């Protein structure tokens, strides 16, 4: 029997989060193009409510006959979060379930996908008042570890990397460019990377804050440099069974991806990605890996980028994945939002 990458074992949950409108979107020349129907369904570019125009008490129809038809596309996902949701809500409906998978021995990964300004960093990192799902997930992990401490022992290490222009940098130690190496036993490893041991989720918060200072640009800065880098946060867990001293190693990866707008702009025809002058190589490769996984193609082009090489053992195969597609609510970002929803819809097929 062949036991390679059994597609049926792959589990991906696709989640969409709509952020609240910003100042610009609240102005009256922007309309809302997302209608969240319930916690699984949304409509992209909904038909506007029929608000008949009254003239001498008679409803006048067809005032907008020349207007372009709305697309009125219905999408269904594992979960849809509307603009009132908090990071705690998103955590509870998305990555919380990964903790059991992790402690059962599955590598897990979480991606925040979407155009610049759609809310990826807010979802992953958040702020002091509303910490992101990275914090909540690690806090839950510590609490579950505590619950299991009678029969298992745990050691946790974290790393925080940035991939910018296909260069890998350690955000927690000042180092130069890091290299990926194939290691016969451990798969792909980052040469010279030293995970930092942590004892609780609060230590994580200060590490994340420290790491973000070392990013190419501050992550909340909506300029084009920061939107081109991927932030990869990883937790390595060593689980020791107290009864038989068996050791198991698992990994959780949480990735704040580069903005997807260039992937759209360079003509993502349907769902196929084409190489373009300015397109982010790692984002393109991730899209192609997802496409092949969705099509059930055996060959997955992990080797095509730093990001996909790094995540080879956490994407596809025997892993659990959560994809959070972040979208803005307004018509200003009509094409980006449409493309993000199509990408997310594609990922659902994995
Ligand atoms: P991205 O990382 O995708 O470029 P950000 O997370 O930086 O986008 O979000 C863009 C702006 O919108 C930021 O000012 C952020 O604070 C705000 N924002 C995003 N999502 C939310 C949300 N759910 N609630 C409130 N503000 C949000
Ligand atoms: Mg960001």
């Amino acid at each position: 029997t062949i036991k390679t990458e059994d597609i049926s074992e792959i589990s991906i949950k696709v989640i969409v989060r709509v952020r609240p409108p910003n100042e610009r979107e609240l102005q009256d020349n922007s309309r809302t193009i997302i209608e969240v129907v319930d916690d699984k369904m949304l409509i992209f570019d909904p038909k506007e409510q029929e608000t008949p125009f009254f003239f001498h008490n008679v409803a006048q129809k067809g005032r907008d006959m020349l207007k372009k038809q709305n697309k009125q596309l219905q999408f269904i996902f594992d979960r849809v979060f509307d603009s009132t949701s908090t990071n705690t809500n998103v955590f509870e409906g998305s990555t919380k379930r990964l903790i059991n998978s992790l402690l059962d021995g599955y590598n897990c990964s979480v991606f925040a996908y979407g155009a610049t300004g759609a809310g990826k960093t807010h979802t992953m990192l958040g702020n002091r008042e509303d910490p992101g799902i990275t914090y909540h997930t690690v806090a839950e992990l510590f609490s579950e570890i505590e619950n299991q401490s009678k029969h298992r022992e745990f050691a946790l290490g974290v790393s925080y990397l940035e991939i910018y222009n296909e260069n890998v940098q350690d955000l927690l130690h000042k180092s130069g460019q890091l290299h990926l190496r194939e290691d016969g036993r451990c798969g792909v490893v980052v040469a010279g990377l030293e995970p930092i041991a942590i004892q609780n989720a609060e230590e994580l918060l200060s590490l994340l804050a420290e790491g973000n200072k070392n990013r190419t640009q501050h992550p909340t800065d909506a300029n084009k440099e920061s939107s081109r880098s991927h932030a990869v946060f990883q937790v390595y867990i060593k689980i020791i069974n107290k009864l038989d001293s068996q050791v198991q190693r698992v990994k959780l990866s949480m990735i704040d991806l580069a903005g997807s707008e260039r992937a759209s702009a360079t003509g993502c025809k349907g769902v196929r990605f084409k190489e373009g002058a300015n397109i982010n190589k790692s984002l393109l490769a991730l899209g192609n890996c997802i496409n092949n996984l969705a099509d059930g193609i055996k060959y997955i082009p992990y080797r095509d980028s730093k990001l996909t090489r790094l995540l080879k053992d956490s994407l596809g195969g025997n892993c659990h994945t959560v994809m959070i597609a972040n979208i803005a609510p307004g018509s200003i970002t009509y094409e980006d939002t449409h493309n993000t929803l199509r990408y997310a819809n594609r990922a659902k097929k994995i």
Side-chain angles (χ1 to χ4, degrees):
T1 51
I2 310 160
K3 179 92 178 67
T4 46
E5 268 150 2
D6 184 351
I7 302 299
S8 64
E9 284 179 52
I10 301 165
S11 156
I12 185 164
K13 295 272 182 238
V14 180
I15 283 151
V16 171
R17 183 183 197 182
V18 190
R19 73 152 162 72
N22 60 26
E23 287 294 320
R24 228 180 116 214
E25 289 155 348
L26 286 172
Q27 287 166 8
D28 48 14
N29 58 348
S30 166
R31 81 190 158 87
T32 301
I33 55 161
I34 297 295
E35 179 190 329
V36 176
V37 176
D38 59 28
D39 68 0
K40 291 203 189 291
M41 192 203 282
L42 65 79
I43 295 170
F44 172 77
D45 195 12
K47 283 206 168 64
E48 269 136 293
Q49 287 287 325
E50 284 273 347
T51 41
F53 167 66
F54 284 88
F55 186 71
H56 292 302
N57 290 330
V58 179
Q60 304 288 299
K61 276 200 160 175
R63 277 206 316 143
D64 281 340
M65 281 209 310
L66 292 177
K67 205 171 137 266
K68 218 175 107 217
Q69 279 260 296
N70 295 58
K71 282 200 164 65
Q72 174 93 4
L73 298 177
Q74 176 183 300
F75 287 92
I76 295 187
F77 296 102
D78 293 296
R79 259 321 273 277
V80 174
F81 290 97
D82 69 16
S83 61
T84 63
S85 59
T86 62
N87 283 333
T88 307
N89 299 145
V90 174
F91 157 69
E92 281 171 353
S94 65
T95 58
K96 191 174 181 178
R97 79 184 99 211
L98 290 182
I99 304 303
N100 284 331
S101 302
L102 263 178
L103 298 179
D104 284 346
Y106 295 93
N107 285 340
C108 294
S109 53
V110 183
F111 294 93
Y113 183 91
T116 298
K120 298 180 296 295
T121 304
H122 180 86
T123 300
M124 299 304 266
L125 218 55
N127 50 48
R128 287 223 170 268
E129 298 79 56
D130 190 12
I133 64 168
T134 302
Y135 168 78
H136 287 292
T137 309
V138 173
E140 180 73 13
L141 176 62
F142 275 110
S143 129
E144 194 49 37
I145 279 173
E146 188 62 38
N147 288 340
Q148 299 192 5
S149 63
K150 283 218 171 69
H151 71 286
R152 296 164 118 189
E153 222 173 90
F154 298 88
L156 260 73
V158 300
S159 69
Y160 195 25
L161 302 170
E162 178 183 67
I163 302 176
Y164 178 71
N165 272 341
E166 294 298 287
N167 284 335
V168 182
Q169 299 265 1
D170 185 347
L171 293 172
L172 300 180
H173 301 92
K174 286 247 158 65
S175 69
Q177 186 187 343
L178 296 174
H179 296 278
L180 304 186
R181 298 252 157 76
E182 300 289 340
D183 175 302
R185 205 166 52 92
C186 302
V188 174
V189 296
V190 185
L193 179 70
E194 282 176 42
I196 296 180
I198 58 167
Q199 313 294 332
N200 55 56
E202 277 59 44
E203 285 182 19
L204 170 76
L205 275 188
S206 36
L207 278 181
L208 285 177
E210 198 54 40
N212 286 323
K213 284 191 210 145
N214 293 329
R215 281 193 72 174
T216 303
Q217 287 292 323
H218 196 270
T220 53
D221 176 2
N223 80 23
K224 61 177 194 284
E225 299 310 312
S226 73
S227 69
R228 280 163 182 262
S229 77
H230 307 276
V232 183
F233 171 75
Q234 292 182 297
V235 186
Y236 312 85
I237 311 165
K238 183 178 169 190
I239 308 171
I240 306 139
N241 192 320
K242 287 185 181 174
L243 283 173
D244 57 10
S245 303
Q246 279 243 19
V247 174
Q248 204 177 10
R249 287 170 203 274
V250 288
K251 191 160 68 174
L252 166 68
S253 307
M254 301 188 74
I255 303 105
D256 184 351
L257 291 168
S260 59
E261 58 275 10
R262 283 168 203 83
S264 319
T266 357
C268 138
K269 277 263 178 281
V271 285
R272 290 290 154 193
F273 292 81
K274 284 206 189 110
E275 194 88 45
N278 232 347
I279 197 165
N280 187 294
K281 196 172 175 183
S282 280
L283 201 59
L284 180 78
L286 179 67
N288 289 332
C289 287
I290 286 177
N291 265 333
N292 284 14
L293 286 165
D295 286 344
I297 295 172
K298 275 250 150 63
Y299 173 72
I300 312 296
Y302 293 113
R303 291 199 57 87
D304 286 2
S305 78
K306 292 286 165 64
L307 179 71
T308 50
R309 279 184 74 194
L310 188 66
L311 296 172
K312 191 178 173 203
D313 60 357
S314 304
L315 181 68
N318 212 1
C319 311
H320 291 181
T321 302
V322 171
M323 166 80 69
I324 303 177
N326 291 93
I327 55 176
S331 54
I332 305 167
T333 47
Y334 189 98
E335 281 308 322
D336 284 337
T337 301
H338 190 197
N339 283 320
T340 297
L341 289 171
R342 286 196 293 187
Y343 188 96
N345 212 33
R346 182 79 182 146
K348 228 170 60 179
K349 305 219 160 49
I350 295 182

